[in-house]
Amino acid sequence: MRGVRQIYPFTRPPELDTDKRTRVPVIIVGAGPIGMAMGLDLDLQGIPNIILDDDNKVSIGSRAICWAKRALEVVDRLGCGERMLDKGVTWNLGKVFFGDRKDPVYGFNMLEEEEQQFPGFINLQQYYAEEYLIDEIDKRELTSIRWENEVTAVSQGDEGATLSVSTPEGKYQIDCDYVVAADGARSPLRKMLGFDFGGETFQDHFLIADIKMKAEFPAERWFWFDPPFNRGQSALLHKQPDDVWRLDFQLGWDIDREEELKSEKVSERIHAMLGDDFEFDFEWVSIYTFQCRRMDRFVHDRIIFTGDAAHLVSPFGARGANSGLQDVDNLGWKLALILQGKAPARLLESYNDERIAAAKENILNSTRATDFITPKSEVSRIFRDATLELADEFEFARRFVNSGRLSIPTILDDSTLNTEDHDSFDSKLVPGSPAIDAPVKINGKESWFLKSIGNNFTGVYFARQGANAPEGAAQLEHDDIPVNTLVVSDMDVAGSGLLLDHKGLLKQRLDGQPGTYYLFRPDQHVVARWREFDSQAVRDAVARATMQAH
Amino acid sequence: MSQNTLSNPRIDDPDDFYASLIALHNGLTTEQSQSLNSKLILLMANHIGDRAVLDEMLSAVETDSPQG
């Protein structure tokens, strides 16, 4: 097996050589994709933070490979999106096969609308994503990673939290205002604090074999129900960069784990699937079972849980790391406003509520997919097979086929942070939706809409004429929580920071009739919109979105 | 009556309906499940009513693979 990657050296922390206690605004526990993204987001918000990790290397094996569009958009805001896109294998199409049929019974496209910077999905080994995040962290002033720094105890009070940390050269304590737990599915922090993690474990095993081979299969997600090479079970084929292919075989519950992991046995399965006449190398082999669980609450005063530490889903649907990155997106700006004294601590309740709603949605989708893939009863299996047989011929049946409902962003339409629409809009977006991308030109250069918004509250105004912002918009830039207004025009007129909607797609996607004003949260979600600009209405919406008393 | 009419998806949130349908069978024996399915088919057939549509459906599943 390959996959030996760089070791990140332990550096002696200054706390070991002084009695003075360090205090930082935020300590993040866990340098996985979620913890590192959190560090970068807080750095962008101007909040100093330290990431502690008990290990000294990136993920072993490819692990998470499917990065969804919204997750890529989040990571792009943090500075790593394009690198992931360049290295990753882009795919939008999925195909579903059933039994002995050679042709797929069903296919789907993950990208509903073209002309966006990021595709429906890319596949990229988790270790590449982590390495890119580490490189980006190295460039930043306000975030850093301490490798081989293991948290052994945590306590909290009214003023903050204290962590006890063990290193190869000694122990120290460190204080902070908030702890972000991003320490994964087995979260030591969650266990130390004795928090619940309710849900279910599915009685099934899956074998992942990532292999290196030269193959001509297209960059699509292929899923088999009951194929000849794995009778009564399912299988998956997926392309990764560097000629690595993800093969996933369902094994059932009653298996001999050691036997199944033997390379002869795995090779036998691979040859049965792909034919005898080819060569390959193993990159990573693993057997896993899966679980759907979540904590009752993600926010426990000064300690906030994110990613797998807070919620766990089956891999079918790619809703793990992708939803964890949406946690980060949701939390960063809220923590920053609280730490800057611009919003009350109860704003964290909205993180709790919004991301629990998302976790419920992800767990529901993941559980349903699992029930379809591994029916729990004979009659459930008969219905499943009947659905697949009908799917060949009948479009309606294809809608029932569930090989994993792939990650799409959660729409926070129930959030109390939103300001309800009073005008009507002919757009897929509603208050609570993440923004949709579109090509724009800025100062004559091709760019993307999503690159223009985020990190702060941003107003987007569809100009009536010329490139003028509405009267009163400029004053909003000087508020305690500032709102910068971008002007969108489909006419190429001179104006600094003007977004030229040269293809008219932004107008179309947002129903941007002249005079329309959208307000986006720092995480690029729509929070309010109007047909007429009114600076007081914008201020009220910002106050509502940041839980100011009013 | 065309194939297209039978094929056209008409149920909102198909995953939710499918989950409810399967949940109906929780804890039932095979005999009980068969009986439940038969009642469901008869209810749905009566609701459809139109004999031409029903015949279309009968032949749609008849052309499927025979027993075994």
Side-chain angles (χ1 to χ4, degrees), chain A residues 368 372 379-380 383-384 387 389 393-396 399-400 402 405, chain B residues 3 6-7 9 14-19 21-22 25 33 37 60 64:
Chain A
R368 284 176 177 170
F372 196 89
V379 68
S380 176
F383 263 107
R384 199 273 313 265
T387 303
E389 281 176 26
E393 207 174 335
F394 298 100
E395 167 66 24
F396 85 88
R399 304 286 178 101
F400 289 121
N402 191 344
R405 296 280 178 245
Chain B
Q3 198 78 322
L6 286 189
S7 188
D15 287 354
D16 191 61
F17 172 72
Y18 191 87
L21 182 63
I22 299 302
H25 293 268
S33 277
N37 282 335
D64 235 326

PDB file of all heavy atoms in Angstrom, chain A residues 368 372 379-380 383-384 387 389 393-396 399-400 402 405, chain B residues 3 6-7 9 14-19 21-22 25 33 37 60 64:
ATOM      1  N   ARG A 368     -32.923   6.745   4.833  1.00  0.00           N
ATOM      2  CA  ARG A 368     -33.777   6.234   3.758  1.00  0.00           C
ATOM      3  C   ARG A 368     -32.958   5.542   2.671  1.00  0.00           C
ATOM      4  O   ARG A 368     -33.363   4.507   2.146  1.00  0.00           O
ATOM      5  CB  ARG A 368     -34.588   7.372   3.159  1.00  0.00           C
ATOM      6  CG  ARG A 368     -35.741   7.781   4.037  1.00  0.00           C
ATOM      7  CD  ARG A 368     -36.440   8.972   3.445  1.00  0.00           C
ATOM      8  NE  ARG A 368     -37.593   9.341   4.246  1.00  0.00           N
ATOM      9  CZ  ARG A 368     -38.274  10.466   4.055  1.00  0.00           C
ATOM     10  NH1 ARG A 368     -37.910  11.310   3.114  1.00  0.00           N
ATOM     11  NH2 ARG A 368     -39.319  10.737   4.803  1.00  0.00           N
ATOM     12  N   PHE A 372     -33.104   1.577   1.561  1.00  0.00           N
ATOM     13  CA  PHE A 372     -33.324   1.133   0.181  1.00  0.00           C
ATOM     14  C   PHE A 372     -32.194   0.217  -0.274  1.00  0.00           C
ATOM     15  O   PHE A 372     -32.424  -0.796  -0.924  1.00  0.00           O
ATOM     16  CB  PHE A 372     -33.438   2.343  -0.759  1.00  0.00           C
ATOM     17  CG  PHE A 372     -34.039   2.016  -2.095  1.00  0.00           C
ATOM     18  CD1 PHE A 372     -35.410   2.080  -2.288  1.00  0.00           C
ATOM     19  CD2 PHE A 372     -33.232   1.615  -3.165  1.00  0.00           C
ATOM     20  CE1 PHE A 372     -35.979   1.758  -3.526  1.00  0.00           C
ATOM     21  CE2 PHE A 372     -33.785   1.292  -4.399  1.00  0.00           C
ATOM     22  CZ  PHE A 372     -35.171   1.366  -4.584  1.00  0.00           C
ATOM     23  N   VAL A 379     -40.115  -8.194   2.567  1.00  0.00           N
ATOM     24  CA  VAL A 379     -41.070  -7.445   1.738  1.00  0.00           C
ATOM     25  C   VAL A 379     -40.450  -6.127   1.264  1.00  0.00           C
ATOM     26  O   VAL A 379     -40.681  -5.686   0.137  1.00  0.00           O
ATOM     27  CB  VAL A 379     -42.412  -7.235   2.484  1.00  0.00           C
ATOM     28  CG1 VAL A 379     -42.251  -6.292   3.665  1.00  0.00           C
ATOM     29  CG2 VAL A 379     -43.479  -6.702   1.543  1.00  0.00           C
ATOM     30  N   SER A 380     -39.614  -5.545   2.092  1.00  0.00           N
ATOM     31  CA  SER A 380     -38.923  -4.318   1.702  1.00  0.00           C
ATOM     32  C   SER A 380     -37.985  -4.594   0.521  1.00  0.00           C
ATOM     33  O   SER A 380     -37.874  -3.783  -0.398  1.00  0.00           O
ATOM     34  CB  SER A 380     -38.166  -3.782   2.913  1.00  0.00           C
ATOM     35  OG  SER A 380     -37.422  -2.657   2.569  1.00  0.00           O
ATOM     36  N   PHE A 383     -40.144  -5.000  -2.662  1.00  0.00           N
ATOM     37  CA  PHE A 383     -40.528  -3.677  -3.171  1.00  0.00           C
ATOM     38  C   PHE A 383     -39.349  -2.999  -3.853  1.00  0.00           C
ATOM     39  O   PHE A 383     -39.487  -2.375  -4.904  1.00  0.00           O
ATOM     40  CB  PHE A 383     -41.021  -2.782  -2.018  1.00  0.00           C
ATOM     41  CG  PHE A 383     -42.518  -2.761  -1.869  1.00  0.00           C
ATOM     42  CD1 PHE A 383     -43.146  -3.418  -0.823  1.00  0.00           C
ATOM     43  CD2 PHE A 383     -43.305  -2.079  -2.783  1.00  0.00           C
ATOM     44  CE1 PHE A 383     -44.530  -3.395  -0.678  1.00  0.00           C
ATOM     45  CE2 PHE A 383     -44.688  -2.056  -2.657  1.00  0.00           C
ATOM     46  CZ  PHE A 383     -45.304  -2.718  -1.602  1.00  0.00           C
ATOM     47  N   ARG A 384     -38.179  -3.091  -3.237  1.00  0.00           N
ATOM     48  CA  ARG A 384     -36.980  -2.474  -3.798  1.00  0.00           C
ATOM     49  C   ARG A 384     -36.694  -3.024  -5.190  1.00  0.00           C
ATOM     50  O   ARG A 384     -36.499  -2.266  -6.146  1.00  0.00           O
ATOM     51  CB  ARG A 384     -35.798  -2.729  -2.838  1.00  0.00           C
ATOM     52  CG  ARG A 384     -34.594  -1.832  -3.000  1.00  0.00           C
ATOM     53  CD  ARG A 384     -33.561  -2.269  -4.002  1.00  0.00           C
ATOM     54  NE  ARG A 384     -33.154  -3.649  -3.932  1.00  0.00           N
ATOM     55  CZ  ARG A 384     -32.084  -4.109  -3.275  1.00  0.00           C
ATOM     56  NH1 ARG A 384     -31.359  -3.289  -2.556  1.00  0.00           N
ATOM     57  NH2 ARG A 384     -31.751  -5.385  -3.338  1.00  0.00           N
ATOM     58  N   THR A 387     -39.268  -1.959  -7.698  1.00  0.00           N
ATOM     59  CA  THR A 387     -39.022  -0.561  -8.084  1.00  0.00           C
ATOM     60  C   THR A 387     -37.937  -0.482  -9.151  1.00  0.00           C
ATOM     61  O   THR A 387     -38.081   0.213 -10.159  1.00  0.00           O
ATOM     62  CB  THR A 387     -38.579   0.262  -6.849  1.00  0.00           C
ATOM     63  OG1 THR A 387     -39.589   0.148  -5.850  1.00  0.00           O
ATOM     64  CG2 THR A 387     -38.365   1.709  -7.199  1.00  0.00           C
ATOM     65  N   GLU A 389     -37.026  -2.861 -11.197  1.00  0.00           N
ATOM     66  CA  GLU A 389     -37.516  -3.435 -12.465  1.00  0.00           C
ATOM     67  C   GLU A 389     -38.378  -2.435 -13.210  1.00  0.00           C
ATOM     68  O   GLU A 389     -38.257  -2.278 -14.419  1.00  0.00           O
ATOM     69  CB  GLU A 389     -38.290  -4.730 -12.190  1.00  0.00           C
ATOM     70  CG  GLU A 389     -37.347  -5.908 -11.937  1.00  0.00           C
ATOM     71  CD  GLU A 389     -38.093  -7.192 -11.568  1.00  0.00           C
ATOM     72  OE1 GLU A 389     -39.260  -7.329 -11.957  1.00  0.00           O
ATOM     73  OE2 GLU A 389     -37.482  -8.032 -10.885  1.00  0.00           O
ATOM     74  N   GLU A 393     -38.387   1.166 -17.312  1.00  0.00           N
ATOM     75  CA  GLU A 393     -39.384   1.611 -18.264  1.00  0.00           C
ATOM     76  C   GLU A 393     -40.128   2.874 -17.824  1.00  0.00           C
ATOM     77  O   GLU A 393     -40.544   3.672 -18.652  1.00  0.00           O
ATOM     78  CB  GLU A 393     -40.400   0.478 -18.421  1.00  0.00           C
ATOM     79  CG  GLU A 393     -41.088   0.453 -19.756  1.00  0.00           C
ATOM     80  CD  GLU A 393     -41.960  -0.795 -19.884  1.00  0.00           C
ATOM     81  OE1 GLU A 393     -41.680  -1.811 -19.196  1.00  0.00           O
ATOM     82  OE2 GLU A 393     -42.927  -0.737 -20.645  1.00  0.00           O
ATOM     83  N   PHE A 394     -40.301   3.008 -16.506  1.00  0.00           N
ATOM     84  CA  PHE A 394     -41.183   4.061 -16.014  1.00  0.00           C
ATOM     85  C   PHE A 394     -40.422   5.122 -15.238  1.00  0.00           C
ATOM     86  O   PHE A 394     -39.785   4.839 -14.230  1.00  0.00           O
ATOM     87  CB  PHE A 394     -42.281   3.477 -15.117  1.00  0.00           C
ATOM     88  CG  PHE A 394     -43.176   2.503 -15.825  1.00  0.00           C
ATOM     89  CD1 PHE A 394     -43.000   1.139 -15.681  1.00  0.00           C
ATOM     90  CD2 PHE A 394     -44.186   2.976 -16.661  1.00  0.00           C
ATOM     91  CE1 PHE A 394     -43.820   0.246 -16.346  1.00  0.00           C
ATOM     92  CE2 PHE A 394     -45.013   2.078 -17.329  1.00  0.00           C
ATOM     93  CZ  PHE A 394     -44.826   0.707 -17.175  1.00  0.00           C
ATOM     94  N   GLU A 395     -40.565   6.346 -15.711  1.00  0.00           N
ATOM     95  CA  GLU A 395     -39.886   7.476 -15.090  1.00  0.00           C
ATOM     96  C   GLU A 395     -40.251   7.612 -13.601  1.00  0.00           C
ATOM     97  O   GLU A 395     -39.399   7.863 -12.747  1.00  0.00           O
ATOM     98  CB  GLU A 395     -40.245   8.751 -15.872  1.00  0.00           C
ATOM     99  CG  GLU A 395     -39.900  10.076 -15.209  1.00  0.00           C
ATOM    100  CD  GLU A 395     -38.397  10.318 -15.060  1.00  0.00           C
ATOM    101  OE1 GLU A 395     -37.631   9.731 -15.833  1.00  0.00           O
ATOM    102  OE2 GLU A 395     -38.029  11.085 -14.141  1.00  0.00           O
ATOM    103  N   PHE A 396     -41.514   7.409 -13.278  1.00  0.00           N
ATOM    104  CA  PHE A 396     -41.924   7.640 -11.881  1.00  0.00           C
ATOM    105  C   PHE A 396     -41.155   6.735 -10.921  1.00  0.00           C
ATOM    106  O   PHE A 396     -40.814   7.135  -9.806  1.00  0.00           O
ATOM    107  CB  PHE A 396     -43.450   7.438 -11.713  1.00  0.00           C
ATOM    108  CG  PHE A 396     -43.876   6.021 -11.477  1.00  0.00           C
ATOM    109  CD1 PHE A 396     -43.931   5.510 -10.180  1.00  0.00           C
ATOM    110  CD2 PHE A 396     -44.205   5.176 -12.539  1.00  0.00           C
ATOM    111  CE1 PHE A 396     -44.319   4.194  -9.951  1.00  0.00           C
ATOM    112  CE2 PHE A 396     -44.582   3.868 -12.315  1.00  0.00           C
ATOM    113  CZ  PHE A 396     -44.638   3.368 -11.027  1.00  0.00           C
ATOM    114  N   ARG A 399     -37.760   7.784  -9.629  1.00  0.00           N
ATOM    115  CA  ARG A 399     -37.756   8.725  -8.509  1.00  0.00           C
ATOM    116  C   ARG A 399     -37.689   7.993  -7.167  1.00  0.00           C
ATOM    117  O   ARG A 399     -37.308   8.572  -6.167  1.00  0.00           O
ATOM    118  CB  ARG A 399     -39.014   9.605  -8.521  1.00  0.00           C
ATOM    119  CG  ARG A 399     -39.211  10.356  -9.801  1.00  0.00           C
ATOM    120  CD  ARG A 399     -38.231  11.525  -9.913  1.00  0.00           C
ATOM    121  NE  ARG A 399     -38.419  12.202 -11.184  1.00  0.00           N
ATOM    122  CZ  ARG A 399     -39.094  13.332 -11.311  1.00  0.00           C
ATOM    123  NH1 ARG A 399     -39.623  13.920 -10.258  1.00  0.00           N
ATOM    124  NH2 ARG A 399     -39.236  13.895 -12.502  1.00  0.00           N
ATOM    125  N   PHE A 400     -38.164   6.748  -7.172  1.00  0.00           N
ATOM    126  CA  PHE A 400     -38.134   5.974  -5.923  1.00  0.00           C
ATOM    127  C   PHE A 400     -36.779   5.312  -5.693  1.00  0.00           C
ATOM    128  O   PHE A 400     -36.447   4.933  -4.578  1.00  0.00           O
ATOM    129  CB  PHE A 400     -39.218   4.889  -5.931  1.00  0.00           C
ATOM    130  CG  PHE A 400     -40.619   5.405  -5.794  1.00  0.00           C
ATOM    131  CD1 PHE A 400     -41.568   5.164  -6.774  1.00  0.00           C
ATOM    132  CD2 PHE A 400     -41.004   6.141  -4.682  1.00  0.00           C
ATOM    133  CE1 PHE A 400     -42.869   5.627  -6.656  1.00  0.00           C
ATOM    134  CE2 PHE A 400     -42.312   6.622  -4.545  1.00  0.00           C
ATOM    135  CZ  PHE A 400     -43.244   6.359  -5.540  1.00  0.00           C
ATOM    136  N   ASN A 402     -33.239   4.759  -4.793  1.00  0.00           N
ATOM    137  CA  ASN A 402     -32.428   5.567  -3.877  1.00  0.00           C
ATOM    138  C   ASN A 402     -31.090   4.889  -3.603  1.00  0.00           C
ATOM    139  O   ASN A 402     -30.974   3.999  -2.781  1.00  0.00           O
ATOM    140  CB  ASN A 402     -33.212   5.772  -2.570  1.00  0.00           C
ATOM    141  CG  ASN A 402     -32.569   6.804  -1.663  1.00  0.00           C
ATOM    142  OD1 ASN A 402     -31.408   7.158  -1.851  1.00  0.00           O
ATOM    143  ND2 ASN A 402     -33.307   7.266  -0.681  1.00  0.00           N
ATOM    144  N   ARG A 405     -29.095   9.862  -1.687  1.00  0.00           N
ATOM    145  CA  ARG A 405     -29.488  11.210  -2.159  1.00  0.00           C
ATOM    146  C   ARG A 405     -28.311  12.114  -1.871  1.00  0.00           C
ATOM    147  O   ARG A 405     -28.014  12.434  -0.718  1.00  0.00           O
ATOM    148  CB  ARG A 405     -30.739  11.687  -1.425  1.00  0.00           C
ATOM    149  CG  ARG A 405     -31.963  10.834  -1.698  1.00  0.00           C
ATOM    150  CD  ARG A 405     -32.619  11.185  -3.025  1.00  0.00           C
ATOM    151  NE  ARG A 405     -33.759  10.310  -3.255  1.00  0.00           N
ATOM    152  CZ  ARG A 405     -33.832   9.425  -4.253  1.00  0.00           C
ATOM    153  NH1 ARG A 405     -32.833   9.273  -5.109  1.00  0.00           N
ATOM    154  NH2 ARG A 405     -34.908   8.689  -4.400  1.00  0.00           N
TER     155      ARG A 405
ATOM    156  N   GLN B   3     -47.948   4.997 -22.648  1.00  0.00           N
ATOM    157  CA  GLN B   3     -46.903   4.649 -21.687  1.00  0.00           C
ATOM    158  C   GLN B   3     -46.475   5.880 -20.884  1.00  0.00           C
ATOM    159  O   GLN B   3     -46.242   5.802 -19.695  1.00  0.00           O
ATOM    160  CB  GLN B   3     -45.697   4.109 -22.467  1.00  0.00           C
ATOM    161  CG  GLN B   3     -44.757   3.332 -21.613  1.00  0.00           C
ATOM    162  CD  GLN B   3     -45.286   1.925 -21.336  1.00  0.00           C
ATOM    163  OE1 GLN B   3     -46.460   1.679 -21.141  1.00  0.00           O
ATOM    164  NE2 GLN B   3     -44.378   0.969 -21.326  1.00  0.00           N
ATOM    165  N   LEU B   6     -48.497   6.631 -17.760  1.00  0.00           N
ATOM    166  CA  LEU B   6     -48.157   5.752 -16.647  1.00  0.00           C
ATOM    167  C   LEU B   6     -46.801   6.121 -16.052  1.00  0.00           C
ATOM    168  O   LEU B   6     -46.557   5.957 -14.870  1.00  0.00           O
ATOM    169  CB  LEU B   6     -48.099   4.285 -17.099  1.00  0.00           C
ATOM    170  CG  LEU B   6     -49.411   3.562 -17.376  1.00  0.00           C
ATOM    171  CD1 LEU B   6     -49.148   2.076 -17.581  1.00  0.00           C
ATOM    172  CD2 LEU B   6     -50.408   3.764 -16.251  1.00  0.00           C
ATOM    173  N   SER B   7     -45.922   6.587 -16.895  1.00  0.00           N
ATOM    174  CA  SER B   7     -44.531   6.812 -16.504  1.00  0.00           C
ATOM    175  C   SER B   7     -44.326   8.113 -15.736  1.00  0.00           C
ATOM    176  O   SER B   7     -43.431   8.234 -14.916  1.00  0.00           O
ATOM    177  CB  SER B   7     -43.666   6.829 -17.774  1.00  0.00           C
ATOM    178  OG  SER B   7     -42.319   6.869 -17.432  1.00  0.00           O
ATOM    179  N   PRO B   9     -43.970  10.996 -13.308  1.00  0.00           N
ATOM    180  CA  PRO B   9     -43.962  11.049 -11.837  1.00  0.00           C
ATOM    181  C   PRO B   9     -45.051  11.986 -11.325  1.00  0.00           C
ATOM    182  O   PRO B   9     -45.183  13.100 -11.814  1.00  0.00           O
ATOM    183  CB  PRO B   9     -42.574  11.612 -11.504  1.00  0.00           C
ATOM    184  CG  PRO B   9     -41.794  11.537 -12.759  1.00  0.00           C
ATOM    185  CD  PRO B   9     -42.751  11.575 -13.888  1.00  0.00           C
ATOM    186  N   PRO B  14     -41.132  11.582  -3.253  1.00  0.00           N
ATOM    187  CA  PRO B  14     -41.251  10.120  -3.392  1.00  0.00           C
ATOM    188  C   PRO B  14     -40.549   9.347  -2.274  1.00  0.00           C
ATOM    189  O   PRO B  14     -41.043   8.290  -1.868  1.00  0.00           O
ATOM    190  CB  PRO B  14     -40.610   9.824  -4.758  1.00  0.00           C
ATOM    191  CG  PRO B  14     -39.875  11.053  -5.143  1.00  0.00           C
ATOM    192  CD  PRO B  14     -40.527  12.196  -4.445  1.00  0.00           C
ATOM    193  N   ASP B  15     -39.430   9.883  -1.753  1.00  0.00           N
ATOM    194  CA  ASP B  15     -38.730   9.159  -0.677  1.00  0.00           C
ATOM    195  C   ASP B  15     -39.613   9.031   0.556  1.00  0.00           C
ATOM    196  O   ASP B  15     -39.615   8.008   1.234  1.00  0.00           O
ATOM    197  CB  ASP B  15     -37.437   9.896  -0.284  1.00  0.00           C
ATOM    198  CG  ASP B  15     -36.354   9.745  -1.334  1.00  0.00           C
ATOM    199  OD1 ASP B  15     -36.558   8.975  -2.298  1.00  0.00           O
ATOM    200  OD2 ASP B  15     -35.304  10.404  -1.203  1.00  0.00           O
ATOM    201  N   ASP B  16     -40.358  10.075   0.844  1.00  0.00           N
ATOM    202  CA  ASP B  16     -41.201  10.075   2.030  1.00  0.00           C
ATOM    203  C   ASP B  16     -42.347   9.075   1.856  1.00  0.00           C
ATOM    204  O   ASP B  16     -42.650   8.297   2.762  1.00  0.00           O
ATOM    205  CB  ASP B  16     -41.761  11.485   2.255  1.00  0.00           C
ATOM    206  CG  ASP B  16     -42.426  11.617   3.605  1.00  0.00           C
ATOM    207  OD1 ASP B  16     -41.712  11.421   4.611  1.00  0.00           O
ATOM    208  OD2 ASP B  16     -43.635  11.881   3.661  1.00  0.00           O
ATOM    209  N   PHE B  17     -42.963   9.059   0.671  1.00  0.00           N
ATOM    210  CA  PHE B  17     -44.038   8.101   0.428  1.00  0.00           C
ATOM    211  C   PHE B  17     -43.505   6.670   0.496  1.00  0.00           C
ATOM    212  O   PHE B  17     -44.115   5.795   1.110  1.00  0.00           O
ATOM    213  CB  PHE B  17     -44.704   8.346  -0.934  1.00  0.00           C
ATOM    214  CG  PHE B  17     -45.674   7.257  -1.284  1.00  0.00           C
ATOM    215  CD1 PHE B  17     -46.896   7.158  -0.622  1.00  0.00           C
ATOM    216  CD2 PHE B  17     -45.357   6.295  -2.242  1.00  0.00           C
ATOM    217  CE1 PHE B  17     -47.784   6.123  -0.914  1.00  0.00           C
ATOM    218  CE2 PHE B  17     -46.231   5.262  -2.536  1.00  0.00           C
ATOM    219  CZ  PHE B  17     -47.447   5.173  -1.875  1.00  0.00           C
ATOM    220  N   TYR B  18     -42.366   6.449  -0.133  1.00  0.00           N
ATOM    221  CA  TYR B  18     -41.783   5.101  -0.144  1.00  0.00           C
ATOM    222  C   TYR B  18     -41.514   4.616   1.282  1.00  0.00           C
ATOM    223  O   TYR B  18     -41.828   3.475   1.636  1.00  0.00           O
ATOM    224  CB  TYR B  18     -40.493   5.099  -0.969  1.00  0.00           C
ATOM    225  CG  TYR B  18     -39.963   3.706  -1.260  1.00  0.00           C
ATOM    226  CD1 TYR B  18     -40.405   2.990  -2.363  1.00  0.00           C
ATOM    227  CD2 TYR B  18     -39.021   3.107  -0.414  1.00  0.00           C
ATOM    228  CE1 TYR B  18     -39.935   1.711  -2.632  1.00  0.00           C
ATOM    229  CE2 TYR B  18     -38.547   1.832  -0.677  1.00  0.00           C
ATOM    230  CZ  TYR B  18     -38.994   1.139  -1.779  1.00  0.00           C
ATOM    231  OH  TYR B  18     -38.528  -0.123  -2.039  1.00  0.00           O
ATOM    232  N   ALA B  19     -40.983   5.500   2.102  1.00  0.00           N
ATOM    233  CA  ALA B  19     -40.685   5.136   3.497  1.00  0.00           C
ATOM    234  C   ALA B  19     -41.977   4.772   4.239  1.00  0.00           C
ATOM    235  O   ALA B  19     -42.019   3.794   4.993  1.00  0.00           O
ATOM    236  CB  ALA B  19     -39.964   6.283   4.201  1.00  0.00           C
ATOM    237  N   LEU B  21     -44.738   3.612   2.885  1.00  0.00           N
ATOM    238  CA  LEU B  21     -45.217   2.353   2.315  1.00  0.00           C
ATOM    239  C   LEU B  21     -44.501   1.165   2.953  1.00  0.00           C
ATOM    240  O   LEU B  21     -45.137   0.185   3.364  1.00  0.00           O
ATOM    241  CB  LEU B  21     -44.979   2.387   0.801  1.00  0.00           C
ATOM    242  CG  LEU B  21     -45.444   1.195  -0.027  1.00  0.00           C
ATOM    243  CD1 LEU B  21     -46.954   1.037   0.052  1.00  0.00           C
ATOM    244  CD2 LEU B  21     -45.020   1.385  -1.491  1.00  0.00           C
ATOM    245  N   ILE B  22     -43.183   1.266   3.060  1.00  0.00           N
ATOM    246  CA  ILE B  22     -42.407   0.163   3.638  1.00  0.00           C
ATOM    247  C   ILE B  22     -42.722   0.026   5.134  1.00  0.00           C
ATOM    248  O   ILE B  22     -42.854  -1.083   5.659  1.00  0.00           O
ATOM    249  CB  ILE B  22     -40.887   0.395   3.422  1.00  0.00           C
ATOM    250  CG1 ILE B  22     -40.558   0.448   1.925  1.00  0.00           C
ATOM    251  CG2 ILE B  22     -40.061  -0.690   4.110  1.00  0.00           C
ATOM    252  CD1 ILE B  22     -40.922  -0.768   1.103  1.00  0.00           C
ATOM    253  N   HIS B  25     -45.399  -2.284   6.521  1.00  0.00           N
ATOM    254  CA  HIS B  25     -45.148  -3.723   6.599  1.00  0.00           C
ATOM    255  C   HIS B  25     -44.331  -4.134   7.819  1.00  0.00           C
ATOM    256  O   HIS B  25     -44.082  -5.318   8.014  1.00  0.00           O
ATOM    257  CB  HIS B  25     -44.434  -4.202   5.327  1.00  0.00           C
ATOM    258  CG  HIS B  25     -45.291  -4.101   4.099  1.00  0.00           C
ATOM    259  ND1 HIS B  25     -46.084  -5.137   3.649  1.00  0.00           N
ATOM    260  CD2 HIS B  25     -45.495  -3.082   3.247  1.00  0.00           C
ATOM    261  CE1 HIS B  25     -46.734  -4.755   2.552  1.00  0.00           C
ATOM    262  NE2 HIS B  25     -46.385  -3.504   2.281  1.00  0.00           N
ATOM    263  N   SER B  33     -48.297  -9.417   4.823  1.00  0.00           N
ATOM    264  CA  SER B  33     -47.827  -8.421   3.851  1.00  0.00           C
ATOM    265  C   SER B  33     -48.525  -8.586   2.505  1.00  0.00           C
ATOM    266  O   SER B  33     -48.929  -7.611   1.875  1.00  0.00           O
ATOM    267  CB  SER B  33     -46.317  -8.554   3.638  1.00  0.00           C
ATOM    268  OG  SER B  33     -45.630  -7.867   4.642  1.00  0.00           O
ATOM    269  N   ASN B  37     -50.813  -5.854   0.712  1.00  0.00           N
ATOM    270  CA  ASN B  37     -50.563  -5.395  -0.664  1.00  0.00           C
ATOM    271  C   ASN B  37     -51.787  -5.599  -1.551  1.00  0.00           C
ATOM    272  O   ASN B  37     -52.128  -4.751  -2.365  1.00  0.00           O
ATOM    273  CB  ASN B  37     -49.366  -6.135  -1.269  1.00  0.00           C
ATOM    274  CG  ASN B  37     -48.059  -5.564  -0.763  1.00  0.00           C
ATOM    275  OD1 ASN B  37     -47.999  -4.413  -0.360  1.00  0.00           O
ATOM    276  ND2 ASN B  37     -47.006  -6.380  -0.779  1.00  0.00           N
ATOM    277  N   ALA B  60     -48.691  -3.813 -18.481  1.00  0.00           N
ATOM    278  CA  ALA B  60     -47.347  -3.284 -18.171  1.00  0.00           C
ATOM    279  C   ALA B  60     -46.583  -4.226 -17.246  1.00  0.00           C
ATOM    280  O   ALA B  60     -45.387  -4.450 -17.426  1.00  0.00           O
ATOM    281  CB  ALA B  60     -47.449  -1.906 -17.538  1.00  0.00           C
ATOM    282  N   ASP B  64     -43.464  -8.094 -17.744  1.00  0.00           N
ATOM    283  CA  ASP B  64     -42.278  -8.249 -16.909  1.00  0.00           C
ATOM    284  C   ASP B  64     -41.861  -9.714 -16.808  1.00  0.00           C
ATOM    285  O   ASP B  64     -42.580 -10.611 -17.236  1.00  0.00           O
ATOM    286  CB  ASP B  64     -42.577  -7.707 -15.510  1.00  0.00           C
ATOM    287  CG  ASP B  64     -41.566  -6.657 -15.102  1.00  0.00           C
ATOM    288  OD1 ASP B  64     -40.391  -6.794 -15.500  1.00  0.00           O
ATOM    289  OD2 ASP B  64     -41.964  -5.730 -14.410  1.00  0.00           O
TER     290      ASP B  64
END
